[in-house]
Amino acid sequence: MAKILIVDDEPHIRLLLEQTLEDFEDDGVELIMAENGAEALEIIKAERPNLVFLDVMMPKMNGFDVCKAVKNELAMDDVYIVLLTAKGQESEKHQGLDVGADVYLTKPFNPDEIQAMTSNILGLA
Amino acid sequence: MTMYPADSKILIVDDDAFVREMLSSILEASGYRITTAEDGVDALEKYEADQEIQLIVSDVNMPRMDGIRLIQELKARNLEVPIIMVTSVNSISVAVDALSSGAIDYVLKDEGIQETIEITVKRALEKHQIKQHNKRLVAELAAKTREQENTLSYLNAIIGHIPDGLLVTNERARITLVNPALGGMFRQAAGPVVGRDCRELFADTLGPILDAISPTERTAVTVQVALEGGRIGSAIGTAVYRRVEGEEDEFIGYLIIVRDITHQKEIERMKDDFVSTVSHELRTPLTSVLGFAKLIAKKLDGVIFPLVPRDDPKVERAVRQIGDNVGIIITEGERLTKLINEVLDLSKMEAGKVEWHLAEAEAGELVKRALDATAGLFTEENLTLVEEIDPDLPRLYCDHDRIMQVLINLLSNARKFTDQGQIRVRVGKAEMGGEAAVVFAVSDTGCGIARENLAAVFDKFKQVGDLLTDRPKGTGLGLPICRQIVEYHGGTVEVESELGRGSTFSFVLPAAADRG
Ligand SMILES: Nc1ncnc2c1ncn2[C@@H]1O[C@H](COP(=O)(O)OP(=O)(O)O)[C@@H](O)[C@H]1O
Ligand SMILES: [Mg+2]
């Protein structure tokens, strides 16, 4: 059963992502939430989600560091990471891809795009 | 030297009228003008009253005031006039007294006086004139020296107080002058540095500037340097030339000025941080607003509206309005997003903080990609899109994404301001200052721009408002960004337009210089 982890310190953004993705629950996908980087890292280690939507600016541990830990230190290549940032600076995009993120999106994101991306990555029609 | 005038005026002082007469007639015969006095007191009065008197010929023994006293009195009054003493044959010692008191010469009162007085007067006048002349020269020299010393201490005071660091070298880069401010900026400049090699002493700060200065091209070189205590300096260097009359200017050394820009940098950084913080703080709520609006629109269309009975016209109207209103929230939210992106972009560009990713590019390829990206815009039936791409174009060297951004901007403007007709994209060969270049032009048959508004369309936040009433409002930042991007690449942007008939926005980029 596929798992998607949603990580953002803003509850409204978590809610938005949850509602955007809740139709996938009908396909048996499990949605998991985390409020900060440290919690996210614990969940990733324990649950090994297939897909992570990861905010960048968060307390405790930022998205870049989580991404680096997952992709480099834990070498969990099969965890697909989508970085979501509100900064929208180009230098950050490079930084994001440097730490191993698979995709880098700026907020505000388009829910349609998130849905399309998800079914693509999880191989759902 | 001008000679004393032959008709110089002479004051003859003697209590003996006979002697006065005699001397007067001798000297008058030689062409001098004569005036007389009877004793020292009389002489002083007369001399003080008559500016023309250039020489005094005086007896020694006289009542009231004798000759020696007369000399002393004149001296005491600071009156500089040569005096010849006429002394008796038997009083040589008086003559010595007279000379040591300041008489210029003396004559003996004997039968030879006729000849000697004439010679002595002449010599005395000459001698006095030479003396005066020398005195003037010495005074002038002193004044000049003083003036130069003044200028020097004036310049030194200025240099000493320039808040910027100053370093001057000779033509072999040996340091000839530094000011105190420079000493505070570099550890190496704290001690004596005159005579040291600038390249060596400041190997990793100011030295490299000298190598960057070309003594033949007279351009200044600006470099950022690290200063003492983690501060930041901006050093500007230039070659120094001395003007040589009728010849080429002579290269005499280098001059470097260092300004502490730590504070400026800090402000720039704060402004930067501010813009990106604001952008971040706006994006977060905007993500919710826009995201939920889109979800609502979807749920309304997909789930709710189909279930709403439309028999009641009020319900029917409400459904239509809710759909429209959510649509407006979405469009405006998107406009706000665009505005945030563009403000961030433009402020980065203006601060020179954009990272440019330059690479070789094919103009036609860029245009095709821009057209692909905007394909969604050109689906209207009464709008045709025409491409005209010269297959044989010089290659470009540019930031692909940024040039695409320009093209997409121009294409979406063309679409936005054109209801029907044609949008034409042309890419062709061009020239810029005699060098190969490529011109990109986007023409439309839209509303056009009035002549008086043409110049303003590239300005920040300028929108030709009245024409826009029935269109989605833009941000007014698209074209200024286009201009920044194109000008960064050494190109130019242009617009031609006729109100009601259409517009052509074009830009020219220089071709890639032949590499290798
Ligand atoms: N193709 C065009 N036809 C007519 N007017 C145009 C066209 N392109 C730009 N303009 C005018 O220039 C203004 C500034 O354009 P721009 O900087 O792209 O901002 P925006 O499109 O966001 O309003 C527009 O608002 C419009 O008035
Ligand atoms: Mg525009």
Side-chain angles (χ1 to χ4, degrees):
Chain A
M1 195 167 63
K3 290 174 190 164
I4 301 176
L5 175 63
I6 292 166
V7 192
D8 205 307
D9 57 323
E10 292 275 338
H12 289 160
I13 307 273
R14 286 200 303 274
L15 189 67
L16 174 63
L17 281 164
E18 189 186 354
Q19 288 189 14
T20 303
L21 297 171
E22 69 192 356
D23 280 350
F24 290 104
E25 284 174 329
D26 300 343
D27 300 310
V29 174
E30 186 187 351
L31 299 182
I32 312 169
M33 303 287 155
E35 307 183 358
N36 61 56
E39 193 190 336
L41 194 57
E42 288 314 305
I43 295 176
I44 292 170
K45 279 191 219 163
E47 304 275 340
R48 215 181 179 93
N50 308 68
L51 172 59
V52 181
F53 288 99
L54 183 59
D55 183 31
V56 174
M57 293 245 293
M58 285 180 300
K60 298 214 175 123
M61 188 176 189
N62 72 33
F64 288 145
D65 291 341
V66 174
C67 192
K68 208 161 29 183
V70 172
K71 294 286 187 174
N72 298 353
E73 283 134 51
L74 302 175
M76 296 168 85
D77 291 333
D78 53 335
V79 177
Y80 197 98
I81 297 185
V82 179
L83 274 180
L84 291 174
T85 177
K87 274 217 161 169
Q89 258 135 310
E90 232 201 309
S91 56
E92 284 211 334
K93 182 168 182 168
H94 286 266
Q95 197 181 343
L97 299 180
D98 280 350
V99 295
D102 294 279
V103 176
Y104 185 95
L105 289 183
T106 42
K107 294 177 185 175
F109 49 80
N110 186 350
D112 281 346
E113 204 180 326
I114 298 283
Q115 282 170 355
M117 188 184 277
T118 303
S119 41
N120 223 335
I121 293 160
L122 299 185
L124 306 164
Chain B
M1 185 203 324
T2 53
M3 291 303 284
Y4 64 94
D7 62 346
S8 297
K9 197 167 195 180
I10 299 171
L11 173 63
I12 293 170
V13 192
D14 207 308
D15 52 336
D16 185 335
F18 172 74
V19 177
R20 287 202 304 272
E21 268 310 302
M22 177 194 65
L23 290 175
S24 299
S25 61
I26 297 169
L27 292 172
E28 248 163 6
S30 303
Y32 298 109
R33 287 175 296 147
I34 304 297
T35 176
T36 60
E38 291 176 13
D39 57 31
V41 176
D42 190 19
L44 257 184
E45 247 169 52
K46 292 231 163 85
Y47 179 75
E48 286 196 300
D50 189 343
Q51 307 252 316
E52 283 188 298
I53 296 168
Q54 281 167 314
L55 179 73
I56 298 175
V57 178
S58 173
D59 187 20
V60 179
N61 287 321
M62 291 177 293
R64 290 209 292 175
M65 185 191 287
D66 68 13
I68 304 289
R69 271 283 303 287
L70 174 60
I71 293 175
Q72 290 162 348
E73 288 295 322
L74 285 166
K75 219 190 249 166
R77 287 169 169 73
N78 254 329
L79 299 169
E80 279 187 53
V81 57
I83 296 194
I84 298 171
M85 279 291 153
V86 184
T87 60
S88 324
V89 188
N90 55 6
S91 61
I92 273 292
S93 67
V94 174
V96 174
D97 266 3
L99 285 179
S100 63
S101 304
I104 199 163
D105 213 342
Y106 69 92
V107 280
L108 296 175
K109 224 187 266 178
D110 60 9
E111 56 282 9
I113 194 168
Q114 187 122 5
E115 288 93 59
T116 47
I117 188 70
E118 244 201 284
I119 291 258
T120 312
V121 162
K122 187 165 182 251
R123 257 204 337 241
L125 282 170
E126 275 174 8
K127 198 167 151 195
H128 182 67
Q129 198 179 19
I130 289 171
K131 219 167 107 190
Q132 289 303 101
H133 186 73
N134 284 349
K135 224 166 145 182
R136 230 177 14 249
L137 282 184
V138 169
E140 270 171 27
L141 201 66
K144 275 247 165 68
T145 314
R146 224 173 17 249
E147 195 180 302
Q148 252 166 25
E149 273 167 4
N150 277 344
T151 316
L152 207 64
S153 70
Y154 180 62
L155 287 179
N156 276 336
I158 291 174
I159 290 170
H161 284 87
I162 296 176
D164 291 345
L166 174 74
L167 180 142
V168 186
T169 77
N170 66 10
E171 74 287 358
R172 285 172 297 115
R174 299 255 167 215
I175 297 169
T176 55
L177 184 143
V178 294
N179 73 345
L182 195 90
M185 291 175 160
F186 299 97
R187 196 170 13 85
Q188 298 94 320
V193 295
V194 168
R196 304 277 305 268
D197 187 329
C198 176
R199 286 194 173 91
E200 233 168 61
L201 189 60
F202 296 103
D204 42 41
T205 48
L206 303 179
I209 299 175
L210 302 193
D211 299 318
I213 297 171
S214 144
T216 48
E217 275 177 56
R218 299 196 176 182
T219 45
V221 175
T222 309
V223 173
Q224 192 164 312
V225 290
L227 305 183
E228 200 58 6
R231 302 188 71 82
I232 307 163
S234 166
I236 176 159
T238 176
V240 183
Y241 295 87
R242 197 201 329 256
R243 189 141 295 188
V244 186
E245 199 57 47
E247 276 176 59
E248 248 178 60
D249 292 356
E250 180 193 6
F251 167 60
I252 56 167
Y254 299 97
L255 176 119
I256 297 176
I257 290 171
V258 187
R259 169 160 294 186
D260 189 325
I261 55 165
T262 316
H263 186 59
Q264 239 164 291
K265 283 272 159 192
E266 178 69 5
I267 288 173
E268 254 172 50
R269 200 185 53 74
M270 276 164 57
K271 185 191 151 213
D272 244 47
D273 282 0
F274 178 74
V275 171
S276 63
T277 306
V278 166
S279 138
H280 176 264
E281 293 309 311
L282 291 174
R283 267 173 215 276
T284 305
L286 195 56
T287 305
S288 300
V289 171
L290 201 50
F292 282 117
K294 282 180 179 169
L295 287 186
I296 289 170
K298 234 180 160 166
K299 283 173 189 159
L300 286 176
D301 283 339
V303 185
I304 309 293
F305 288 161
L307 299 181
V308 175
R310 309 284 180 104
D311 333 324
D312 185 342
K314 266 195 171 161
V315 173
E316 156 69 25
R317 197 176 65 192
V319 162
R320 205 183 58 245
Q321 283 177 344
I322 289 172
D324 288 351
N325 296 357
V326 173
I328 290 171
I329 294 175
I330 292 171
T331 344
E332 291 298 301
E334 277 169 349
R335 182 152 74 102
L336 203 49
T337 309
K338 191 164 170 253
L339 182 63
I340 293 167
N341 288 337
E342 290 181 345
V343 166
L344 195 61
D345 236 18
L346 197 58
S347 95
K348 289 260 150 204
M349 277 179 199
E350 285 176 343
K353 288 272 165 59
V354 170
E355 283 175 47
W356 300 90
H357 305 284
L358 298 176
E360 284 222 9
E362 220 183 290
E365 189 60 35
L366 291 179
V367 171
K368 289 212 179 83
R369 276 168 56 198
L371 286 169
D372 281 347
T374 50
L377 293 175
F378 300 98
T379 46
E380 297 250 341
E381 271 179 23
N382 44 7
L383 205 58
T384 54
L385 185 68
V386 183
E387 300 168 35
E388 213 177 284
I389 303 176
D390 186 331
D392 178 34
L393 288 170
R395 293 183 68 74
L396 298 173
Y397 188 66
C398 64
D399 186 320
H400 295 204
D401 291 344
R402 293 293 183 177
I403 296 302
M404 291 260 295
Q405 188 182 349
V406 176
L407 287 165
I408 290 170
N409 240 316
L410 297 186
L411 283 166
S412 43
N413 274 354
R415 169 66 192 88
K416 186 159 74 175
F417 298 106
T418 309
D419 290 331
Q420 57 176 8
Q422 194 188 66
I423 288 169
R424 198 164 67 104
V425 184
R426 188 175 72 81
V427 191
K429 286 201 247 330
E431 247 188 35
M432 267 187 96
E435 305 278 331
V438 176
V439 58
F440 299 78
V442 178
S443 311
D444 61 59
T445 55
C447 62
I449 303 163
R451 180 170 290 273
E452 65 268 25
N453 294 328
L454 264 188
V457 293
F458 288 106
D459 291 348
K460 271 183 268 183
F461 295 114
K462 282 283 157 57
Q463 294 172 312
V464 188
D466 296 345
L467 300 172
L468 278 170
T469 39
D470 58 340
R471 297 164 208 279
K473 279 242 188 190
T475 60
L477 289 177
L479 290 175
I481 289 175
C482 290
R483 175 159 71 181
Q484 288 273 349
I485 294 172
V486 170
E487 288 181 355
Y488 173 82
H489 287 86
T492 52
V493 285
E494 226 175 84
V495 56
E496 277 170 44
S497 187
E498 203 179 317
L499 200 57
R501 310 211 58 172
S503 319
T504 299
F505 282 84
S506 62
F507 62 98
V508 184
L509 293 181
D514 260 337
R515 256 155 254 279

